[in-house]
Amino acid sequence: MNADNPIISIQNVHKFFGTFKALDDVSLTVDAGQKVVVIGPSGSGKSTLLRTINRLETISSGTIVVDGQDINAPSSDINLIRAEVGMVFQSFNLFRHKSVLDNLTLAPIKLKKEPRLEAERRAMELLEKVGMVDKAESYPVQLSGGQQQRVAIARALAMNPKIMLFDEPTSALDPEMIGEVLDVMVTLAREGMTMVVVTHEMGFAREVADSVVFMDEGKIVEIAPPNRFFDHPAHTRTQRFLEQIL
Amino acid sequence: MIDKRIVIDVGDGAAIPDPRDKGLFTAWRISFFGTLGIIAYLLIFKTDPYLDIIKFLPDGIVVTFKVTFASIGLALVLGLIAGLGRISKNTFFNLAASTYIEVVRGIPLLVQLFYIYFALGHLVRVPDMVAAIIAMGFCYGAYMGEVFRAGILSIDDGQTEASLSLGFNRSQAMRYVVLPQAWRTILPPVGNEFIALLKDTSLVSILAVSDILRRGREFASESFLYFETYTMIALVYLVITLILSKILSNVEHRLNHYERR
């Protein structure tokens, strides 16, 4: 794909919660293979924006096209689109009644009708990738936050998504566990996955992002490659934010 | 992460013993062995008339269990539908479920039993026991609906969101992810309702259904041994509910295995 045919195209999106304007005329395109990091103060709408991409939040106006399909069109099957868009949550949201292995195989078996053995073989490959093979039979409550989040990433990958969304994946973690999750994300990025990441990890943004999006009060203030974004931010609002956090 | 387990306390049933309670003297043991002791004492030292009374009751025990199991089955189905209706965004479904629950909870069970029994009698001729089961199930379904609703709402939204994000639709998320987890939260109150229902089946003795109480009344009215008969009936009910509460406690304990570290 090229720039004329982005895998995610968000055009003039508005989102209201009651009278509160969560997203204010937001437009953003993401090309296949691109890594976009979204940052901004809390309440700036960055998580809301991310959640509109797989329609966990509906939008008030505008259009969002994912992999060629308008996700809000009545003719689109949102469940099929969601299967192609993996999502990783701040609070992991592993299925608490299922073992790690069953967390990974549930959707492939039920939705793609994969044979159990095939689903489990693939699940073990993914657990290998996130370094969690030895915990395959464990239940989520037996794992640390960092381990749960690595499993959650593997679970999303088990559906072979074309895009991965990360909603503050390290914000709920103890500091010593952030690295292990970021390592998995960096590996994924190197393999060419299309990623949209909402995070406060500026080191990750610098290292991995193709472009950094800065949001404030529901608007996109600035989009720039990481070097320019961090070293020469164009807007005073961006400068102030970076001064506060760096 | 904090391991939060939400306990719903909707109890008018027998207290379900806590399996972690390892002391020698627990309320359950005192009640259970005390009751068995009294029954044994009566049968050995006051064989006449207590042996005759207890020999008269087994048919009634079978009927009580039949009514209880059939009613709880019906109540679980109605309760699941009512519970899903109460959380549904579909206005019609939601209102229908809420109205059912409001109406049923506002009428005493005994009045409902009479009403459904005679109302059904106007429409179709059904056996007494079937009418009793429909009435009990219909009533307990409403209470069960509230238990299901609370159980489903106790499951974090994140579980549904994670399911949706993988491509499950809402009903698949409910079936594969939310309900299997809600079941653990629901089980203790459902167990309580089950025991409460077993006790309330004594009301069907009024509808010419030969349960434990009705058998006892028949025996008493022939022998005039009212005190002795009702003593034995109370003891038999107590033994049954104590055994059931122990079984439920063990089942609940086993189902919770994945919550333990």
Side-chain angles (χ1 to χ4, degrees), chain B residues 43 61 125 138 144 146 149 152 165 167 183 191 198 208-209:
Chain B
L43 290 178
I61 295 176
R125 189 69 214 132
F138 193 73
M144 219 59 100
E146 288 299 86
R149 185 184 70 94
I152 291 167
S165 78
W183 183 239
L198 184 132
V209 177

mmCIF file of all heavy atoms in Angstrom, chain B residues 43 61 125 138 144 146 149 152 165 167 183 191 198 208-209:
data_model
loop_
_atom_site.group_PDB
_atom_site.id
_atom_site.type_symbol
_atom_site.label_atom_id
_atom_site.label_comp_id
_atom_site.label_asym_id
_atom_site.label_seq_id
_atom_site.Cartn_x
_atom_site.Cartn_y
_atom_site.Cartn_z
ATOM 1 N N LEU B 43 -36.122 -42.174 67.329
ATOM 2 C CA LEU B 43 -36.414 -43.468 66.709
ATOM 3 C C LEU B 43 -36.087 -44.627 67.654
ATOM 4 O O LEU B 43 -36.743 -45.665 67.636
ATOM 5 C CB LEU B 43 -35.642 -43.626 65.395
ATOM 6 C CG LEU B 43 -36.120 -42.731 64.253
ATOM 7 C CD1 LEU B 43 -35.254 -42.949 63.015
ATOM 8 C CD2 LEU B 43 -37.584 -43.005 63.928
ATOM 9 N N ILE B 61 -40.920 -36.913 50.429
ATOM 10 C CA ILE B 61 -39.580 -36.375 50.153
ATOM 11 C C ILE B 61 -39.308 -36.415 48.648
ATOM 12 O O ILE B 61 -38.808 -35.449 48.062
ATOM 13 C CB ILE B 61 -38.501 -37.167 50.930
ATOM 14 C CG1 ILE B 61 -38.708 -36.968 52.437
ATOM 15 C CG2 ILE B 61 -37.102 -36.701 50.522
ATOM 16 C CD1 ILE B 61 -37.768 -37.783 53.316
ATOM 17 N N ARG B 125 -56.387 -28.188 31.590
ATOM 18 C CA ARG B 125 -56.405 -29.097 32.723
ATOM 19 C C ARG B 125 -55.006 -29.696 32.842
ATOM 20 O O ARG B 125 -54.587 -30.470 31.986
ATOM 21 C CB ARG B 125 -57.454 -30.190 32.465
ATOM 22 C CG ARG B 125 -57.734 -31.075 33.656
ATOM 23 C CD ARG B 125 -58.449 -30.332 34.782
ATOM 24 N NE ARG B 125 -57.971 -30.881 36.071
ATOM 25 C CZ ARG B 125 -57.572 -30.138 37.078
ATOM 26 N NH1 ARG B 125 -57.567 -28.834 36.982
ATOM 27 N NH2 ARG B 125 -57.178 -30.697 38.197
ATOM 28 N N PHE B 138 -42.170 -19.790 37.994
ATOM 29 C CA PHE B 138 -42.494 -18.442 37.537
ATOM 30 C C PHE B 138 -42.105 -17.403 38.593
ATOM 31 O O PHE B 138 -41.513 -16.376 38.294
ATOM 32 C CB PHE B 138 -43.995 -18.371 37.259
ATOM 33 C CG PHE B 138 -44.414 -17.158 36.503
ATOM 34 C CD1 PHE B 138 -44.127 -17.046 35.147
ATOM 35 C CD2 PHE B 138 -45.110 -16.134 37.133
ATOM 36 C CE1 PHE B 138 -44.516 -15.925 34.442
ATOM 37 C CE2 PHE B 138 -45.501 -15.004 36.435
ATOM 38 C CZ PHE B 138 -45.204 -14.899 35.083
ATOM 39 N N MET B 144 -34.530 -14.930 40.551
ATOM 40 C CA MET B 144 -33.333 -15.387 39.856
ATOM 41 C C MET B 144 -32.874 -14.356 38.822
ATOM 42 O O MET B 144 -31.686 -14.182 38.593
ATOM 43 C CB MET B 144 -33.654 -16.716 39.173
ATOM 44 C CG MET B 144 -32.550 -17.718 39.231
ATOM 45 S SD MET B 144 -32.078 -18.139 40.899
ATOM 46 C CE MET B 144 -32.940 -19.669 41.086
ATOM 47 N N GLU B 146 -32.964 -11.157 39.038
ATOM 48 C CA GLU B 146 -32.160 -10.137 39.702
ATOM 49 C C GLU B 146 -30.772 -10.665 40.051
ATOM 50 O O GLU B 146 -29.785 -9.941 39.990
ATOM 51 C CB GLU B 146 -32.870 -9.649 40.982
ATOM 52 C CG GLU B 146 -34.085 -8.788 40.688
ATOM 53 C CD GLU B 146 -33.722 -7.528 39.917
ATOM 54 O OE1 GLU B 146 -33.662 -7.617 38.675
ATOM 55 O OE2 GLU B 146 -33.500 -6.489 40.529
ATOM 56 N N ARG B 149 -28.847 -10.693 36.785
ATOM 57 C CA ARG B 149 -28.487 -9.325 36.406
ATOM 58 C C ARG B 149 -27.268 -8.846 37.206
ATOM 59 O O ARG B 149 -26.294 -8.347 36.649
ATOM 60 C CB ARG B 149 -29.657 -8.377 36.648
ATOM 61 C CG ARG B 149 -29.406 -6.958 36.173
ATOM 62 C CD ARG B 149 -30.584 -6.067 36.534
ATOM 63 N NE ARG B 149 -30.660 -5.846 37.971
ATOM 64 C CZ ARG B 149 -30.116 -4.798 38.592
ATOM 65 N NH1 ARG B 149 -29.498 -3.887 37.893
ATOM 66 N NH2 ARG B 149 -30.208 -4.675 39.887
ATOM 67 N N ILE B 152 -24.070 -10.693 36.117
ATOM 68 C CA ILE B 152 -23.531 -10.251 34.826
ATOM 69 C C ILE B 152 -22.891 -8.875 34.975
ATOM 70 O O ILE B 152 -21.805 -8.621 34.455
ATOM 71 C CB ILE B 152 -24.648 -10.225 33.766
ATOM 72 C CG1 ILE B 152 -25.086 -11.654 33.436
ATOM 73 C CG2 ILE B 152 -24.194 -9.515 32.498
ATOM 74 C CD1 ILE B 152 -26.380 -11.757 32.656
ATOM 75 N N SER B 165 -13.190 -6.826 20.733
ATOM 76 C CA SER B 165 -12.020 -6.429 19.948
ATOM 77 C C SER B 165 -11.427 -7.609 19.184
ATOM 78 O O SER B 165 -10.731 -7.434 18.196
ATOM 79 C CB SER B 165 -10.957 -5.779 20.841
ATOM 80 O OG SER B 165 -10.241 -6.760 21.560
ATOM 81 N N GLY B 167 -13.345 -9.817 17.752
ATOM 82 C CA GLY B 167 -14.277 -10.122 16.672
ATOM 83 C C GLY B 167 -15.541 -10.840 17.107
ATOM 84 O O GLY B 167 -16.375 -11.178 16.285
ATOM 85 N N TRP B 183 -21.192 -16.881 36.335
ATOM 86 C CA TRP B 183 -21.721 -18.065 37.003
ATOM 87 C C TRP B 183 -21.106 -18.246 38.383
ATOM 88 O O TRP B 183 -21.776 -18.624 39.329
ATOM 89 C CB TRP B 183 -21.472 -19.282 36.117
ATOM 90 C CG TRP B 183 -22.031 -20.547 36.676
ATOM 91 C CD1 TRP B 183 -21.338 -21.683 36.979
ATOM 92 C CD2 TRP B 183 -23.398 -20.823 37.002
ATOM 93 N NE1 TRP B 183 -22.200 -22.634 37.471
ATOM 94 C CE2 TRP B 183 -23.464 -22.136 37.508
ATOM 95 C CE3 TRP B 183 -24.579 -20.078 36.944
ATOM 96 C CZ2 TRP B 183 -24.650 -22.715 37.945
ATOM 97 C CZ3 TRP B 183 -25.764 -20.665 37.380
ATOM 98 C CH2 TRP B 183 -25.786 -21.966 37.865
ATOM 99 N N GLY B 191 -27.624 -20.882 44.849
ATOM 100 C CA GLY B 191 -27.711 -21.961 45.831
ATOM 101 C C GLY B 191 -28.659 -21.608 46.964
ATOM 102 O O GLY B 191 -29.476 -22.421 47.391
ATOM 103 N N LEU B 198 -36.708 -24.941 47.991
ATOM 104 C CA LEU B 198 -37.057 -26.255 48.557
ATOM 105 C C LEU B 198 -37.961 -26.085 49.772
ATOM 106 O O LEU B 198 -38.956 -26.786 49.931
ATOM 107 C CB LEU B 198 -35.785 -27.018 48.933
ATOM 108 C CG LEU B 198 -36.056 -28.436 49.446
ATOM 109 C CD1 LEU B 198 -35.135 -29.429 48.755
ATOM 110 C CD2 LEU B 198 -35.908 -28.550 50.950
ATOM 111 N N ALA B 208 -52.931 -29.764 46.990
ATOM 112 C CA ALA B 208 -53.140 -31.202 46.817
ATOM 113 C C ALA B 208 -51.952 -31.904 46.180
ATOM 114 O O ALA B 208 -52.103 -32.872 45.445
ATOM 115 C CB ALA B 208 -54.417 -31.472 46.009
ATOM 116 N N VAL B 209 -50.733 -31.374 46.414
ATOM 117 C CA VAL B 209 -49.533 -32.072 45.958
ATOM 118 C C VAL B 209 -48.939 -32.758 47.184
ATOM 119 O O VAL B 209 -48.729 -32.109 48.215
ATOM 120 C CB VAL B 209 -48.513 -31.096 45.347
ATOM 121 C CG1 VAL B 209 -47.244 -31.826 44.960
ATOM 122 C CG2 VAL B 209 -49.120 -30.401 44.136
#
